[in-house]
Amino acid sequence: MIDNFSAALRLVKPAMCSEHGVVVAQHRRAAEVGAAVLARGGDAVDASIATSFALGVLEPWMSGIGGGGAMVLYRAAQRRICVIDFGMRAPASLEPDDYPLSGRGVASDLFPWAHVVDDRNVHGPLAVAVPGTVDGMRIAHERFARLPWAELVAPAVDLADAGLLVDWFTTEGIASAAVDLRRYQASAQAFLVDGLPPTPAWSARTQVRLPQGGLARTLERLAAAGARDFYEGDLARTIAGEMQAAGGRLTPADLAAYRAREVDPLIVPYRHARVFATPELTAGPTLARTLRTLAQQLTPAAAPDAAAYAAYAHALQEAYAFRLHTMGDIDGGRAPGCTTHFCVVDRDGNMAAVTQTLLSLFGSRFMLPESGVLMNNGIMWFDPEPGRANSLAPGKRCLTNYCPIIVESGDTRFALGASGGRRILPAVTQLLSFLCDYGMSLNDAFHLPRIDASEGRLLIGDAALPEAVHAALSAQFEYVRMRRQSLPFKFACPSAVLRSASRNWAASEPGSPWADAIASGPAVQPDA
């Protein structure tokens, strides 16, 4: 392993415990928004809606109202689990002829599809699929929320009015997509300074912020007019007009026809536990196949050993190969996925595991100039070559990698998920196993080294794994070591909440400088 990093560096972020509700998100201030909603009497769904909109402002390159996703909800009073699917879909007006193959190798972004002329399926207005996040939050609000819609959107309006705070992590995120952001005037104006990534202030007395006035006014309208205005009202007409003026295919009819769905979860028995996952065109079915293999091949000992990590690798690689041939996904991992995950548990035990995404980092890199919405590049999920399981077609639902889950194991229940594109499934699988097969605490599970098996035959091992594990995996797989760090997240960016008796626990990825868990009341010492 050749790199520039300190071999002595260790990333530690203790799990927190509270008898109150807890929100854990990829941005601390978004978790604070959700926890404040819980403190005002909202339940896990109210906090999820507020956190969702806040995250779209605070880390706009990861998710937002221009994207989609899914949530898994546990309703304690009914002892019921359901899934709200707000995934993206291709516009009904999509024309496959808009994406001619160039014959120049593979695409420049996440998936090595055949290269399309001008990368039209990767960035720009033709890369945009119909967004679903706003309608997903609408369904959740109508079915389960306690607090008014406008009250839950309001914190995001305030955050957008304040502008995007620039720190080193902001700079890194923007710099990684600056070449494409410069192609689109509104995107360049929103995220770049004189055509370059912004840099944080050196003085402790000053701040650098990027204005988000257009997004603030859009969210303000959304708070006042309701969610369907995004699809059928003034906002819908503005969004569709901006898209068409830029050469995109998204129409008012595409937006009006969109509906998020409440569906039954995929239920996966795993030893003494039951896993409730997202069904259909998500990573849920691939997780189910992985767990079926693990149940046969993994024999838990006192702690995960070399045999356990080899079992994880074999199960994940086999499941990914099956997914490739039956669901249309493809070996990849060329660039970071643009996704965020958060979890909520309230004082009554209601839970939410929510993953939302723009697909690539900054999605299509195309920001709507008037409404200030950064749009997804969901068309990148489709294979541009015709005649395949996942080929481009009008109105088609996108095949996704997200995998939010809720797990019941004895008298313990936990919600878990991650961001990171194809790296999500390996992280979720291993953390689930650490908790269920080895009885680990949330704190120990999140600090244990993991592997990644999402890059075809190549297996990546955390450099902190014991030498015996490295040796065993090197003997069986094409294998490299990498350090667990903030960028890039080679082992995904997971978060989880866990409830046992009346206590709620939460943990976030130690390598993420923004991710945090916030309680709606005092935290407690675990042994108190």
Side-chain angles (χ1 to χ4, degrees):
M1 181 177 65
I2 300 174
D3 62 30
N4 298 318
F5 299 102
S6 166
L9 180 66
R10 294 292 181 268
L11 300 171
V12 178
K13 188 186 295 182
M16 63 93 66
C17 180
S18 177
E19 294 183 351
H20 298 265
V22 181
V23 181
V24 58
Q26 278 183 206
H27 198 293
R28 173 182 59 82
R29 294 169 66 204
E32 289 173 344
V33 165
V37 167
L38 294 179
R40 293 199 303 271
D43 89 344
V45 167
D46 296 285
S48 295
I49 295 168
T51 302
S52 169
F53 284 113
L55 281 169
V57 176
L58 291 164
E59 45 168 21
W61 46 84
M62 289 294 183
S63 69
I65 61 177
M71 62 171 67
V72 185
L73 302 175
Y74 171 71
R75 306 305 297 165
Q78 298 81 27
R79 298 185 62 83
R80 176 174 174 264
I81 293 178
C82 70
V83 172
I84 296 179
D85 169 19
F86 51 98
M88 295 172 261
R89 61 177 62 234
S93 48
L94 179 141
E95 293 284 350
D97 289 345
D98 284 341
Y99 308 90
L101 303 182
S102 70
R104 292 172 33 218
V106 298
S108 62
D109 205 71
L110 285 170
F111 310 118
W113 307 128
H115 184 265
V116 169
V117 171
D118 299 328
D119 278 326
R120 295 175 189 174
N121 59 334
V122 175
H123 58 78
L126 285 173
V128 177
V130 184
T133 296
V134 174
D135 205 56
M137 297 305 129
R138 174 192 65 83
I139 287 188
H141 186 264
E142 290 177 355
R143 292 281 288 111
F144 305 113
R146 298 175 184 171
L147 301 181
W149 170 262
E151 184 177 332
L152 301 177
V153 181
V157 177
D158 294 339
L159 290 167
D161 272 329
L164 182 67
L165 179 64
V166 175
D167 58 22
W168 70 265
F169 201 55
T170 313
T171 299
E172 289 281 359
I174 293 174
S176 67
V179 170
D180 286 334
L181 292 172
R182 287 166 55 181
R183 300 172 188 269
Y184 306 104
Q185 184 177 2
S187 303
Q189 290 176 345
F191 296 111
L192 304 178
V193 178
D194 295 328
L196 298 172
T199 55
W202 283 96
S203 170
R205 298 179 183 275
T206 60
Q207 293 180 342
V208 175
R209 289 183 180 268
L210 303 178
Q212 294 176 293
L215 180 59
R217 302 292 73 80
T218 294
L219 290 168
E220 195 171 52
R221 169 72 190 182
L222 199 60
R228 286 306 296 177
D229 195 68
F230 189 91
Y231 298 92
E232 298 174 285
D234 288 344
L235 276 179
R237 287 185 285 274
T238 298
I239 290 167
E242 291 181 278
M243 286 294 303
Q244 292 175 335
R249 290 285 185 178
L250 193 69
T251 67
D254 289 320
L255 290 167
Y258 184 87
R259 290 292 189 281
R261 306 178 303 149
E262 181 182 343
V263 298
D264 292 331
L266 177 64
I267 304 175
V268 186
Y270 181 67
R271 304 195 202 276
H272 56 275
R274 288 200 304 166
V275 180
F276 299 85
T278 49
E280 302 172 356
L281 299 178
T282 71
T286 311
L287 173 67
R289 186 175 184 90
T290 303
L291 293 179
R292 285 194 293 270
T293 303
L294 272 186
Q296 299 172 351
Q297 296 186 358
L298 175 64
T299 302
D305 54 13
Y309 284 101
Y312 297 145
H314 284 297
L316 286 162
Q317 289 186 340
E318 189 278 333
Y320 270 129
F322 183 82
R323 178 183 174 95
L324 165 64
H325 292 295
T326 62
M327 296 181 74
D329 200 0
I330 192 164
D331 289 337
R334 299 162 54 83
C338 170
T339 307
T340 195
H341 179 82
F342 63 93
C343 295
V344 183
V345 58
D346 65 26
R347 192 166 187 169
D348 298 322
N350 298 303
M351 274 189 183
V354 186
T355 309
Q356 53 191 44
T357 185
L358 295 178
L359 179 52
S360 293
L361 197 70
F362 285 89
S364 64
R365 289 73 148 179
F366 175 68
M367 175 174 280
L368 300 179
E370 181 181 346
S371 54
V373 179
L374 187 62
M375 300 299 282
N376 69 80
N377 66 333
I379 298 303
M380 183 60 183
W381 262 311
F382 297 108
D383 188 337
E385 294 194 63
R388 300 190 177 187
N390 194 35
S391 293
L392 270 168
K396 195 171 183 178
R397 291 168 57 206
C398 299
L399 174 66
T400 65
N401 291 307
Y402 42 72
C403 193
I405 61 172
I406 290 178
V407 180
E408 295 177 345
S409 179
D411 61 354
T412 298
R413 181 176 293 104
F414 60 88
L416 169 65
S419 66
R422 286 175 53 86
R423 304 188 194 285
I424 292 171
L425 179 62
V428 169
T429 297
Q430 289 167 88
L431 287 166
L432 187 160
S433 176
F434 295 165
L435 293 166
C436 290
D437 289 325
Y438 298 94
M440 290 186 182
S441 68
L442 207 56
N443 185 74
D444 289 345
F446 267 67
H447 287 89
L448 196 69
R450 300 190 298 272
I451 60 169
D452 179 74
S454 68
E455 296 194 24
R457 292 186 298 274
L458 180 66
L459 189 68
I460 302 172
D462 187 332
L465 286 165
E467 282 300 324
V469 174
H470 289 306
L473 296 179
S474 296
Q476 298 179 60
F477 301 93
E478 182 182 341
Y479 185 74
V480 295
R481 307 183 191 193
M482 296 198 74
R483 299 194 193 281
R484 191 172 182 173
Q485 56 194 21
S486 297
L487 283 174
F489 287 113
K490 284 296 184 182
F491 304 99
C493 185
S495 61
V497 294
L498 182 149
R499 184 174 178 86
S500 181
S502 63
R503 287 197 169 173
N504 296 324
W505 298 77
S508 63
E509 168 56 37
S512 171
W514 283 357
D516 213 348
I518 305 294
S520 60
V524 298
Q525 293 298 320
D527 56 351

